[in-house]
Structures are given as C-alpha cells and as structure tokens.
C-alpha cells in the first residue's frame, strides 16, 4: 500500500539559507513561554477519504482540540509506562504535525497510519524526519532531541515500539491532523498543537525549574498585537503597519506561541509571514525543538532562527544560532551533493553494463 503521505506539503518553495540581514530584534512584552518519500507496507487497503479537504475549524475549536490532544497523548504514554524520556512522545506528535494528505482524493491518511504495525510506524517516522531534514536541515537539526532516538533502531525494543503505536493512535484519534493537516497555513496556525503536549508530559517540578508555563492563546494574541504595533511605529510615517523585512523576535519563546500569534495577525493584515525575519530563544531544548517544528508547520518562511540558549546570559544567542544553522545547511549540501554524484556514477555504470551486454 502506498501511504498517502506528503512529507513536503507543509513547506512552501523557499530557500533554506537564513542569510538575509536582520534588523536588530524587537523584544516582546513579558516572556511568553507557551509551551518525497513514500512508505510502502503490506497492510490492507485503507478506506478512501470522505472529503476532498480537511474541514476548517474555528480558533476556539482548535485550542480545545489542542488541549484534548495533550491530555490524550500524556495519558497514552503514561498508561503504556513509556518512561521519563518525554522527548520521544513529543517527537512523535511533532512528526505528525509535519505531514498531511498527499492526494485529497486518495486513501484516508489517518486510516492508513492507524493500520500500520509498530515497526512500520517507526520507519514512517524516520522517513518524515529525514525528508524534512533535506528541506530544512537548520530547523530539523534544532529539533534533534525529538528524533535522534529513532536513529538507534537497536535500542528500540518491543515495548518502545508498542509505546510508539499507542501514542500515534492517541494523537490521531484526538485530532492532530485536524489541526495541522490543512493546505492553508492560516488553518495550520490556529493553535499550537505541541504546547499542551509538553506541559502535560512534563512534571510540575521540571516545569517550575525551567520556569515554563502555558500562556493562554488570548494572551499571546494580545502581546503579539502590542509587538506589531511597536514594529509599525518604526516604519515610515506613510506606512500603516509592519513592513516586510522587519525582525520579529521572542527572547523566551517556549514552543513559539508568540510567533504563531504574530504570523496570524500579519496574515489577517494581508501580509505574508515569509517576508519577515523571525527568531526565538528558549533555554529548554524540548521547547526550542518544538518551536523549530512549529516554524515549518506555521509557514514562517526561510528566515527563521531558533536558538536553544539563555537570552539573558548570552545576548548573541540568535547570532550564534544563525551561524550554526549555516554550518548545518552547508553540511546538508555536501551530503546531498555526494548522494547525487553517487547516483550519477551508478547510472553511468548501469548504462555501460547494458551497452556491453547488448
């Protein structure tokens, strides 16, 4: 069965080089720490999709679904005795955020994924992360903590594979694709699908130690409007709002809630978030990783930098992260160049062998 999975559907055509000169970042109001390859299996054919596209839901419905998603995933992981490594279940949900139906008239993606066996799911998740690494190595590298455990297949025993299965089922049945499976980035950006997952999987002590708290969307919306008003004041007198190329920054970004709210506000103003420069910093590696994934899901564009650092202790956190991102992209280019060269050599050898045989 061909899984109707588009690994790059959430990505607009863009350069991944975060090299555009960025104006000095505008700090936000009080920190908002809110938290293509085809997989082939032998499973039975899945039912065809009932609708040509996913039904749009309101912002309020999206926020409620995200809260229910967090509860469902946390409950599934804990009931399965998944253990203290919460990056694993969060990474599964993050990967599901990165895909949507390839053919809207084809077999239903949700049903197809639910039909996968545990080991097939692990292979699917490996393909999702690998595919997006080719497109946005800078952001996928920042999200490494969410997926690096998948690169050690020998360490994934039957129990961990079972946990992968139950978390996947919980996330899909709770409506993850209803939040992030849309073609329109406006609909993918109605809520932060990962914030509640982080908060409900993390212990109270860990949250307090990190100073991590979920900020309600209504608050991030309000703070984003204040921040955009400040950007508007920096433009010329003839301007009626923020201008393309301006830098939107959150020094305590969590999983990116403030950036989401700002991106939505820009869209409602008729502006494209991809025309702006985005950056965020968070001291928590998991939150920063989710912010990187969300930057892809929300369509923030090519000029996004996510730093895992203490913005108070390191004023150059964004610059350091941007330099690291360039190195990651250069490494990707080298790897892909070698892969293309190897493929070309093999194709040439095959042609020579066929000519000799003839």
């Amino acid at each position: 069965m061909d899984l109707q999975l588009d690994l790059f559907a959430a990505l607009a055509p863009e350069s991944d080089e975060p090299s555009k000169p960025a104006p000095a970042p505008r700090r936000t109001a009080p920190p908002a720490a809110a938290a293509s390859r085809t997989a082939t299996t032998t499973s039975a054919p899945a039912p065809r999709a009932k609708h040509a596209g996913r039904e749009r839901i309101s912002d309020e419905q999206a926020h409620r679904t995200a809260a229910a998603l967090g509860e469902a995933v946390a409950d599934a992981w804990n009931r399965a005795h998944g253990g203290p490594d919460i990056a694993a279940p969060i990474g599964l949900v993050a990967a599901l955020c990165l895909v949507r139906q390839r053919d809207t008239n084809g077999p239903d993606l949700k049903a197809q994924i639910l039909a996968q066996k545990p080991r097939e799911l692990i292979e699917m998740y490996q393909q999702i992360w690998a595919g997006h690494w080719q497109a946005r190595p800078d952001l996928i590298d920042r999200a490494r903590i969410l997926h690096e455990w998948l690169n050690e297949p020998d360490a994934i025993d039957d129990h961990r594979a079972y946990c992968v299965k139950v978390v996947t089922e919980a996330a899909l049945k709770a409506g993850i694709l209803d939040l992030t499976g849309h073609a329109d980035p406006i609909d993918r950006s109605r809520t932060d699908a990962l914030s509640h997952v982080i908060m409900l999987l993390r212990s109270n002590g860990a949250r307090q130690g990190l100073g991590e708290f979920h900020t309600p969307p209504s608050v991030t919306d309000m703070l984003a409007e204040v921040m955009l008003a400040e950007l508007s004041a920096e433009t010329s007198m003839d301007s009626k709002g923020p201008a393309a190329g301006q830098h939107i920054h959150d020094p305590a970004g969590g999983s990116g809630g403030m950036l989401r709210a700002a991106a939505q506000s820009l869209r409602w103003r008729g502006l494209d978030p991809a025309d702006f420069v985005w950056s965020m910093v968070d001291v928590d590696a998991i939150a920063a990783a989710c912010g990187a994934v969300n930057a892809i899901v929300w369509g923030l564009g090519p000029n996004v930098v996510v730093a895992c650092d203490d913005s108070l202790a390191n004023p150059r956190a964004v610059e350091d992260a941007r330099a690291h991102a360039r190195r990651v992209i250069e490494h990707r280019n080298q790897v892909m160049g070698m892969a293309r060269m190897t493929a070309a050599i093999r194709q040439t050898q095959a042609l020579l062998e066929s000519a000799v045989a003839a």
Side-chain angles (χ1 to χ4, degrees):
M1 176 183 69
D2 287 337
L3 200 61
Q4 293 294 311
L5 183 69
D6 190 345
L7 303 186
F8 303 99
L11 297 172
E14 58 185 32
S15 167
D16 52 18
E17 175 63 53
S19 59
K20 182 185 293 185
R26 162 66 60 184
R27 289 185 177 271
T28 62
S36 183
R37 295 181 61 189
T38 301
T40 304
T41 71
T42 56
S43 304
R48 300 189 70 79
K50 296 180 180 179
H51 304 289
R54 296 204 167 270
E55 185 176 350
R56 287 184 171 180
I57 59 177
S58 67
D59 289 359
E60 187 60 35
Q61 288 175 306
H63 298 324
R64 288 198 301 267
T65 300
L69 170 68
E71 293 175 357
V73 169
D75 182 66
W77 180 255
N78 292 328
R79 284 179 179 272
H81 303 288
D85 181 17
I86 64 170
I90 295 171
L92 299 176
V93 180
L96 291 174
C97 288
L98 290 170
V99 300
R100 70 171 187 260
Q101 185 94 16
R102 181 176 63 193
D103 179 2
T104 55
N105 295 315
D108 181 61
L109 177 59
K110 175 181 174 180
Q112 287 192 297
I113 296 177
L114 287 172
Q116 303 298 294
K117 297 176 182 178
R119 295 291 173 178
E120 293 171 339
L121 286 173
I122 291 170
E123 181 182 356
M124 180 195 77
Y125 285 118
Q126 291 170 337
Q127 291 179 359
I128 291 171
W129 289 111
H132 279 276
W133 178 82
Q134 294 178 43
R136 286 306 302 263
D138 52 329
L139 295 177
I140 298 303
D141 181 76
R142 177 59 64 205
R144 188 190 317 122
I145 192 173
L146 302 181
H147 57 79
E148 59 186 352
W149 60 276
L150 287 165
N151 298 327
E152 302 175 2
D154 294 339
I156 303 176
D157 57 18
D158 289 343
H159 178 68
R160 174 55 68 92
Y162 166 74
C163 292
V164 169
K165 176 71 172 177
V166 298
V167 167
T168 301
E169 290 178 347
L172 289 170
K173 292 177 181 178
I176 179 66
L177 296 182
D178 295 330
L179 298 177
T180 59
H182 299 275
D184 192 333
I186 289 180
D187 294 318
R188 296 198 305 270
S189 307
R190 292 190 181 278
T191 193
D192 181 350
L194 297 173
S195 176
H196 286 284
V197 178
I198 298 173
M199 299 302 293
L200 291 172
L201 279 168
R202 181 162 276 158
S203 68
N204 288 331
R207 289 201 304 269
Q208 291 173 1
L210 289 166
E212 186 173 74
F213 303 95
H214 175 76
T215 304
S218 58
V219 176
T220 59
D221 290 347
M222 178 188 67
L223 295 175
E225 288 299 328
V226 172
M227 182 261 295
L228 291 178
E230 292 177 352
L231 288 181
S232 300
E234 294 179 356
T235 59
S236 66
M237 297 298 294
D238 296 333
S239 176
K240 296 181 180 180
Q246 287 187 301
H247 189 175
I248 299 172
H249 174 66
D250 190 344
S255 55
M258 179 74 72
L259 303 191
R260 181 200 65 81
Q264 288 294 78
S265 181
L266 290 173
R267 289 187 175 108
W268 292 123
R269 295 166 188 246
L271 299 170
D272 185 353
D275 293 333
F276 289 75
V277 179
W278 303 85
S279 63
M280 59 163 276
V281 183
D282 201 274
V283 71
D284 174 31
I286 292 179
C290 289
V293 171
N294 279 333
I296 298 174
V297 175
W298 298 335
L300 298 188
N303 295 295
V304 182
V305 175
V306 179
C308 182
D309 209 332
D310 185 336
S311 57
L312 295 177
N314 180 16
R316 289 186 52 82
V318 173
E319 288 77 7
D320 291 347
R322 182 176 286 110
H324 176 75
R326 291 195 183 104
R327 292 193 294 270
V328 171
I329 292 170
E330 182 179 352
H331 171 67
R332 186 280 312 270
N333 292 343
Q334 292 174 350
V335 170
M336 297 301 293
M338 292 175 62
R340 293 188 185 100
M341 183 179 297
T342 301
I345 291 173
R346 288 177 177 173
Q347 184 179 18
T348 302
Q349 289 175 336
L351 290 172
L352 289 173
E353 291 172 359
S354 63
V356 170

